[in-house]
Amino acid sequence: MTHFARKDLVGLADLDPDEIAHILDVADQFRDLNLRPIKKVPTLRGKSVVHLFLEPSTRTRTSFDIAAKRLSADTFSISGSSSSATKGETLLDTARNLAAMHPDILVVRHRRAGAPRMLSEALPNTAIVNAGDGACEHPTQGLLDLLTVRRRLGGFAGRTVTIVGDIKHSRVARSAIHGFSKLGAEVRVCGPATLIPPGIEALGCTAYGRLEPAVRGADVLMMLRIQQERLHLGSHYFPTLREYSRLFGINREKLRRWAKRDVVIMHPGPINRGVELEPEVADGEWSVILDQVENGVAVRMAVLYLVLGGRRTAASEGRA
Ligand code: CP
């Protein structure tokens, strides 16, 4: 029996705990494939995946591309600077034109919150997978964060996850809050009052304005990037990066004084070293940052597989 019967993956807010757990189970199986000498299976042979990335990306874009290729799908990549968006074409027109070429999946990153949901409604015959929309959601990042914690800690019940930093502009934080709280963890968010949006607690978390009480007792610290491209630094949010780092950055000394000895340090990347994380922590024994990246490929393989029905196709079995 499949536990995932959706055409699209737009956000973790839409999913129930069983669906999330099922994606993680499938991803765990794909992890093994990524460790084999031959990292390719015919599961999505004959399928095509278009990556439409209208915002920059290193990890997500490469990870989706590797995931699709390891499943034998054909992949096509379009970036903002190389698309006709630069000539004024709307996102909907771009997507309708791409859909007319009959891809099976459109993976979309867009700076506007809600763009993937709009496409999921407008394109009934194309699966839409959200690779990050504005400050709304980044569901595959949330899933890879969940997989990383599940593999490290064994589960979520009785665990506390603290998310630190720019909660206001973070799609990573929103997907993490939905995912960890649905699977039974306690979720805390922490940052300057200016970067904690009013009403965030309605998503199922507790807000903290100081780092020490948010760190004490936490099993996981998820440090977020200060998003300099969205913040217009020097204006409204905090006095200086140095001040932010003093109050909300994590270094070895703060971990020694406040954190559990075996606390797990996560970061979605890219890291501002010396701002939210000192290199001694980012590269230290607490860090699972590269495990997150590794698990991202398996999660994206699982998502691509499941939105196409989670079945081996006739072509993949060599019977087409
Ligand atoms: N974590 C993440 O979304 O990184 P990229 O922006 O490099 O894809």
Side-chain angles (χ1 to χ4, degrees):
M1 185 179 107
T2 180
H3 300 272
F4 190 89
R6 296 172 185 272
K7 174 177 92 62
D8 310 297
L9 176 65
V10 172
L12 297 191
D14 300 335
L15 305 189
D16 63 40
D18 279 351
E19 289 174 296
I20 296 174
H22 182 59
I23 299 171
L24 301 185
D25 291 344
V26 174
D28 245 337
Q29 292 169 26
F30 280 126
R31 257 185 60 86
D32 296 339
L33 175 74
N34 290 323
L35 302 175
R36 286 188 210 155
I38 307 292
K39 303 174 181 60
K40 200 161 178 125
V41 289
T43 309
L44 296 187
R45 200 166 73 202
K47 301 292 182 185
S48 37
V49 180
V50 173
H51 299 117
L52 178 60
F53 274 65
L54 300 177
E55 261 198 340
S57 168
T58 296
R59 278 147 290 270
T60 312
R61 182 175 181 153
T62 311
S63 179
F64 266 113
D65 201 32
I66 289 175
K69 286 187 163 81
R70 287 188 181 162
L71 294 173
S72 301
D74 297 315
T75 65
F76 307 88
S77 255
I78 303 167
S79 63
S81 58
S82 66
S83 80
S84 288
T86 58
K87 303 175 200 165
E89 185 170 55
T90 66
L91 173 64
L92 189 54
D93 278 339
T94 299
R96 280 187 176 140
N97 279 268
L98 293 172
M101 301 177 206
H102 302 290
D104 298 283
I105 304 178
L106 193 55
V107 178
V108 182
R109 171 169 284 195
H110 200 277
R111 71 189 165 86
R112 296 248 185 239
R117 192 170 302 282
M118 184 264 287
L119 296 184
S120 81
E121 288 161 10
L123 304 177
N125 299 317
T126 308
I128 303 297
V129 176
N130 181 3
D133 62 323
C136 187
E137 278 228 39
H138 192 346
T140 57
Q141 178 71 43
L143 291 164
L144 73 87
D145 292 338
L146 289 165
L147 183 62
T148 303
V149 169
R150 192 174 82 166
R151 291 183 60 81
R152 180 54 74 109
L153 301 181
F156 304 98
R159 299 297 191 177
T160 298
V161 177
T162 295
I163 307 171
V164 182
D166 178 4
I167 310 297
K168 182 183 172 83
H169 298 96
S170 177
R171 53 196 176 211
V172 173
R174 269 172 198 73
S175 290
I177 294 167
H178 289 303
F180 282 105
S181 61
K182 284 180 189 218
L183 293 193
E186 176 193 334
V187 182
R188 302 170 179 171
V189 295
C190 174
T194 47
L195 292 176
I196 305 271
I200 191 78
E201 293 187 313
L203 298 186
C205 57
T206 307
Y208 289 70
R210 289 181 49 243
L211 188 60
E212 178 181 347
V215 167
R216 286 198 184 275
D219 299 285
V220 175
L221 295 182
M222 181 184 292
M223 306 306 293
L224 297 179
R225 183 170 69 91
I226 286 298
Q227 302 195 33
Q228 306 193 39
E229 75 277 22
R230 299 193 212 275
L231 277 180
H232 313 296
L233 281 183
S235 55
H236 320 297
Y237 294 103
F238 47 80
T240 62
L241 279 179
R242 181 192 289 248
E243 181 74 357
Y244 176 86
S245 180
R246 192 176 69 77
L247 293 175
F248 295 102
I250 285 284
N251 58 23
R252 184 186 290 274
E253 182 55 20
K254 289 180 188 173
L255 287 185
R256 190 188 64 74
R257 280 192 282 134
W258 302 336
K260 284 187 166 180
R261 208 157 42 87
D262 54 355
V263 70
V264 174
I265 300 288
M266 306 181 81
H267 193 298
I271 302 171
N272 296 305
R273 286 174 180 263
V275 179
E276 64 264 8
L277 269 184
E278 290 300 323
E280 67 206 18
V281 177
D283 306 324
E285 64 267 33
W286 312 271
S287 173
V288 294
I289 293 169
L290 294 180
D291 300 280
Q292 292 174 262
V293 178
E294 181 181 2
N295 289 330
V297 176
V299 155
R300 286 159 183 137
M301 291 170 86
V303 167
L304 297 175
Y305 170 69
L306 289 169
V307 294
L308 291 184
R311 295 179 296 277
R312 286 177 182 276
T313 62
S316 80
E317 303 291 354
R319 290 183 277 107

